Amino acid sequence: MFTGIVEEIGTVRSVRAGTSGAVLDISASKIIPGIKLGDSISVNGVCLTVTPGAGHFTADVMPESLRRTSLGSLVAGSKVNLERAMECGGRFGGHIVSGHVDACGRIESLTKEGIAVLMTVSVPHNLLKYIAEKGSVTLDGTSLTVVSAGSGSFKVSLIPHTLSSTTLGLLRVGSPVNVEVDMLARYVERLLDFGKDRPDDSRKECDSGKLTIDFLKENGF
């Protein structure tokens, strides 16, 4: 589990790709002393299991992760956002992030707005129902607040600190970006939909405890 607060920008030393996946070798400094064999590290928002070394670590990337994320486009010299798994009792600066990327989005526009940069990201249509104005979203492992959500894209605003301390400041129009939606939205959807695909007789058994839109509204959601 992560919070989406990037700790360090690492550099890819090498990528060993094969038919069964890939192995990333990434140099870092700040996070290395605090990790051990088998720990989880968020690399551009993707949860990977690491083998630490002196000033670097390696991580296996399965084919599913290569298909669903931008990790397959990394090359030697690429910069990546790094975050160690959250410690119990630590500060929760972002939001609940699992490191399970939903899809690879694309930067549609970058607009200067005062001290910030307004970024528009296009995503597959099926993800937009989980993205709400003032809700949370994760881009390349960075926890951000949604400024607005449209029919094919959404906008986030990047402050100077985010631009300088993460790789988001390196992205350009057309760049791919890993997107993870708020997992709480997924659970709410599952609760609301549970039982709809059952036969009528079995659905009756769970109707008494079924979560409904009316119930959520009555209780302030």
Side-chain angles (χ1 to χ4, degrees):
M1 192 67 67
F2 307 93
T3 68
I5 303 300
V6 174
E7 295 183 88
E8 180 180 2
I9 296 177
T11 303
V12 176
R13 296 179 3 140
S14 67
V15 179
R16 300 195 302 273
T19 57
S20 59
V23 179
L24 299 179
D25 189 335
I26 299 172
S27 64
S29 56
K30 181 178 179 180
I31 68 169
I32 293 297
I35 62 174
K36 60 184 184 298
L37 179 66
D39 277 355
S40 294
I41 299 290
S42 171
V43 178
N44 273 2
V46 184
C47 179
L48 299 178
T49 301
V50 305
T51 300
H56 69 107
F57 66 87
T58 59
D60 295 317
V61 185
M62 69 180 83
E64 169 70 2
S65 296
L66 294 174
R67 286 192 298 268
R68 296 287 290 268
T69 75
S70 64
L71 293 189
S73 65
L74 295 178
V75 296
S78 294
K79 302 296 183 180
V80 289
N81 292 326
L82 303 175
E83 180 192 356
R84 290 168 291 182
M86 181 179 65
E87 288 185 324
C88 183
R91 292 187 182 276
F92 208 121
H95 71 284
I96 299 174
V97 177
S98 67
H100 302 159
V101 171
D102 291 293
C104 196
R106 196 159 297 279
I107 309 302
E108 293 295 321
S109 68
L110 295 165
T111 306
K112 185 72 174 175
E113 188 177 55
I115 64 169
V117 171
L118 197 63
M119 175 184 286
T120 303
V121 182
S122 63
V123 292
H125 182 75
N126 65 306
L127 285 188
L128 288 169
K129 60 183 176 181
Y130 304 114
I131 299 174
E133 183 176 337
K134 305 309 177 186
S136 297
V137 69
T138 308
L139 297 184
D140 275 355
T142 307
S143 174
L144 297 167
T145 300
V146 178
V147 172
S148 62
S151 59
S153 62
F154 64 91
K155 298 179 186 293
V156 294
S157 186
L158 308 177
I159 60 173
H161 175 74
T162 302
L163 292 169
S164 63
S165 61
T166 76
T167 61
L168 297 186
L170 303 176
L171 299 181
R172 298 293 180 261
V173 173
S175 295
V177 62
N178 293 325
V179 180
E180 180 185 333
V181 299
D182 190 344
M183 68 167 63
L184 297 181
R186 288 194 174 280
Y187 283 119
V188 170
E189 179 188 45
R190 176 61 174 162
L191 287 168
L192 291 172
D193 287 345
F194 187 73
K196 287 184 178 180
D197 56 350
R198 296 188 178 190
D200 290 341
D201 55 347
S202 62
R203 286 176 58 185
K204 291 178 182 177
E205 297 177 4
C206 61
D207 278 347
S208 59
K210 184 178 178 182
L211 187 66
T212 65
I213 290 292
D214 289 336
F215 175 85
L216 290 174
K217 289 180 178 179
E218 290 171 2
N219 288 274
F221 291 94

